[in-house]
Amino acid sequence: MLGFLTGKNKKVQQYLNEGGIIVDVRSKTEYEEGHLRNSTNIPLDSLPKFIGQLDKSKPIVTCCASGMRSGSAKRMLKANGFSVVNGGGWMNLQKYE
């Protein structure tokens, strides 16, 4: 398990170093209560409507409250040709700001 987390953290860092974007898939209300400074809020239920507006040339790091919704977003984005990693809970990503 520890190796998986280490690998995920490296991939998150790599994607952000490459100009990747953080997509926070929590609700608007959750996002307004606290979020990463450089993140974009696209609630999971709205992602299908906005998927065409995302730049496929940029890697994406998804996040939410715990990692469950961001995992669903990762699968959706990956199925649509994006390079994406599930960053898990948004608070865990604060070290990358």
Side-chain angles (χ1 to χ4, degrees):
M1 183 75 158
L2 187 56
F4 167 75
L5 293 175
T6 302
K8 181 171 93 169
N9 290 338
K10 286 181 182 177
K11 194 156 199 163
V12 167
Q13 187 65 66
Q14 174 191 345
Y15 277 22
L16 295 176
N17 289 346
E18 293 172 357
I21 59 170
I22 298 172
V23 175
D24 188 324
V25 296
R26 295 176 298 147
S27 70
K28 182 179 179 188
T29 302
E30 288 174 292
Y31 186 80
E32 289 172 349
E33 290 173 355
H35 60 271
L36 297 168
R37 180 176 53 242
N38 296 318
S39 63
T40 299
N41 180 227
I42 305 175
L44 182 60
D45 60 350
S46 299
L47 190 56
K49 288 189 284 187
F50 292 96
I51 207 163
Q53 296 177 23
L54 295 170
D55 185 350
K56 282 191 179 179
S57 70
K58 293 188 178 201
I60 295 176
V61 177
T62 59
C63 70
C64 62
S66 68
M68 296 297 290
R69 287 175 284 179
S70 56
S72 295
K74 174 191 172 188
R75 288 187 293 280
M76 187 183 311
L77 290 165
K78 196 165 193 77
N80 281 277
F82 289 88
S83 294
V84 59
V85 64
N86 178 2
W90 74 274
M91 293 181 97
N92 295 329
L93 295 178
Q94 288 179 329
K95 61 186 168 195
Y96 299 105
E97 279 193 302

